[in-house]
Amino acid sequence: MAGTLIDGKLIAKKVRGDIQKRVDKLKEKGVTPGLAVVLVGHDPASQAYVGMKEKTCIKLGIHSEVYRLAEETTQEELLGLITKLNNDPKINGILVQLPLPKHIDEGKVLDTIDPEKDVDGFHSINVGNLVIGKDAFVPCTPYGVIVMLEESGVELTGKHVVVVGRSNIVGKPVATLALQRHATVTIAHSRTKNLPEITRQADILIVAVGRANMITKEMVREGTVVIDVGINRVETGLVGDVDFEGVKEVAAQITPVPGGVGPMTITMLMHNTVLSAERR
Ligand code: GUN
C-alpha cells in the first residue's frame, strides 16, 4: 500500500492566502509589516534560506531588510545591529539565521532580540512561555509541522508521536506542541537504544536529525503518518532524513523532500511577522 502525499507547497499556498489578507488589512490601516533577516558568513544553505525568506516577503508585500554580514563580524557589532533593529518601528520581526560563526555566543545573540520581535521564537522568554503554555512566538518549523498535520486531518489527541531529534530548533519545540495537543510523546535521539523498536510504535513519526535516508521502511509500522523535517544535500540532489521511496510503501501519509516541511517553515515565519505587526 502506498501512502498519500502531504503536499507542503499546496498547504503553504492556502495558508499564505490567509496571511495575504491580513497584510492587506494592515496596509489599509497604514501599517506595513516588516521583517529583518541577519546572516553572518557565507554558509551556502543559509544563503539560500535567507534568499527564499526575502522573496516570500516581497511576494506578500511585507517590508524586507536583509543584512549580509562578513564571517569576521564581531559579537559587539552584531549585538549593535540587533539593538538598532529592536528600536526600529518599521521592523516587526527580527531573525538571525543560524548557525552563527563559532566566535559568536548564539544564546547571547538570541536573548538580545526584543522578545516581541522574536519571530523565530528562540528567545529564552518565548521558549519558556511556550513550555508553560503562555502566549509565545512559536518556532516556525515545528509550527509548520503542526499546521500540516492539522490541514491533513491528522488528529493528535491520544496518539503516540515519536520525535527523532532533540534540537532546540525542531525536536524539543515540536514535542512540546504535540504534547499541548494531547499526544503521548517520545523523543528519541542519537543515544537512543533500539531506535527501530521505538519508531515502530509511532502513530505519527516526526524526524529531524539531519542524516540522509536514516529512517528506513523496516523502522516504520504500516499506517504511520511520517513527517520528514530533514534536508540533506547528496550527489543526486536534496533528500530528507526518511528513505522516501521505501517508507512511502508503508506510511498512511508522508511528506516529500523538497516540497514538504520547507515551504511551511517560511510560511509560519510570515505568519509570525504579521502577528507581531497586528499586536503592535
Ligand atoms: N537555521 C535552520 N533553521 C533555522 C530557523 O528556523 N531559524 C533560524 N534563524 N535559523 C535556522
Side-chain angles (χ1 to χ4, degrees):
M1 182 205 80
T4 55
L5 206 66
I6 300 180
D7 185 340
K9 271 198 239 170
L10 199 70
I11 298 170
K13 197 170 160 200
K14 179 181 169 215
V15 178
R16 281 181 202 180
D18 296 334
I19 295 171
Q20 182 71 71
K21 286 188 199 132
R22 290 160 58 204
V23 172
D24 296 345
K25 211 165 149 192
L26 280 167
K27 285 191 171 174
E28 279 167 24
K29 293 187 208 154
V31 177
T32 300
L35 174 68
V37 174
V38 182
L39 171 64
V40 186
H42 311 102
D43 178 63
S46 291
Q47 280 177 328
Y49 295 142
V50 167
M52 284 191 277
K53 287 165 187 173
E54 188 178 22
K55 255 209 290 268
T56 311
C57 277
I58 292 166
K59 255 195 207 157
L60 290 170
I62 294 172
H63 171 66
S64 163
E65 294 182 11
V66 179
Y67 295 84
R68 292 181 172 86
L69 308 181
E71 182 86 25
E72 309 78 51
T73 301
T74 66
Q75 181 165 311
E76 284 62 41
E77 285 168 330
L78 180 56
L79 296 182
L81 172 60
I82 293 170
T83 304
K84 188 175 86 87
L85 295 168
N86 282 343
N87 295 318
D88 185 342
K90 292 193 304 300
I91 296 301
N92 304 102
I94 302 169
L95 179 146
V96 177
Q97 187 68 32
L98 303 177
L100 285 166
K102 286 196 171 47
H103 66 277
I104 295 176
D105 177 350
E106 185 181 292
K108 173 77 185 160
V109 168
L110 296 177
D111 280 347
T112 301
I113 296 171
D114 180 345
E116 293 188 5
K117 295 189 177 186
D118 171 37
V119 286
D120 246 339
F122 293 163
H123 191 292
S124 304
I125 286 182
N126 280 313
V127 175
N129 282 342
L130 184 72
V131 172
I132 61 176
K134 273 172 71 176
D135 222 18
F137 281 115
V138 179
C140 305
T141 301
Y143 199 175
V145 168
I146 297 294
V147 171
M148 277 180 115
L149 289 168
E150 286 172 352
E151 290 288 328
S152 305
V154 178
E155 173 68 42
L156 282 145
T157 302
K159 296 288 175 61
H160 189 184
V161 171
V162 175
V163 179
V164 186
R166 54 174 157 176
S167 68
N168 291 334
I169 294 182
V170 186
K172 285 182 208 162
V174 86
T176 302
L177 293 172
L179 187 61
Q180 280 171 356
R181 284 158 181 79
H182 315 292
T184 301
V185 180
T186 299
I187 306 179
H189 48 79
S190 53
R191 310 269 178 101
T192 295
K193 293 202 175 108
N194 303 325
L195 181 63
E197 201 177 289
I198 290 166
T199 54
R200 286 185 61 83
Q201 291 171 28
D203 298 308
I204 300 161
L205 180 63
I206 302 171
V207 190
V209 284
R211 266 182 58 196
N213 299 322
M214 75 159 289
I215 301 292
T216 56
K217 185 179 172 179
E218 295 69 38
M219 298 169 78
V220 181
R221 194 161 41 92
E222 186 97 15
T224 307
V225 175
V226 180
I227 307 288
D228 188 353
V229 185
I231 303 181
N232 309 286
R233 186 164 289 284
V234 295
E235 269 177 20
T236 51
L238 293 179
V239 298
D241 293 346
V242 175
D243 171 26
F244 181 82
E245 290 306 321
V247 173
K248 81 168 196 279
E249 297 299 323
V250 290
Q253 297 188 62
I254 184 167
T255 61
V257 177
V261 177
M264 291 304 296
T265 296
I266 297 185
T267 300
M268 301 327 291
L269 174 65
M270 300 299 129
H271 163 82
N272 280 348
T273 302
V274 175
L275 183 65
S276 176
E278 287 167 342
R279 282 177 177 168
R280 203 178 59 147

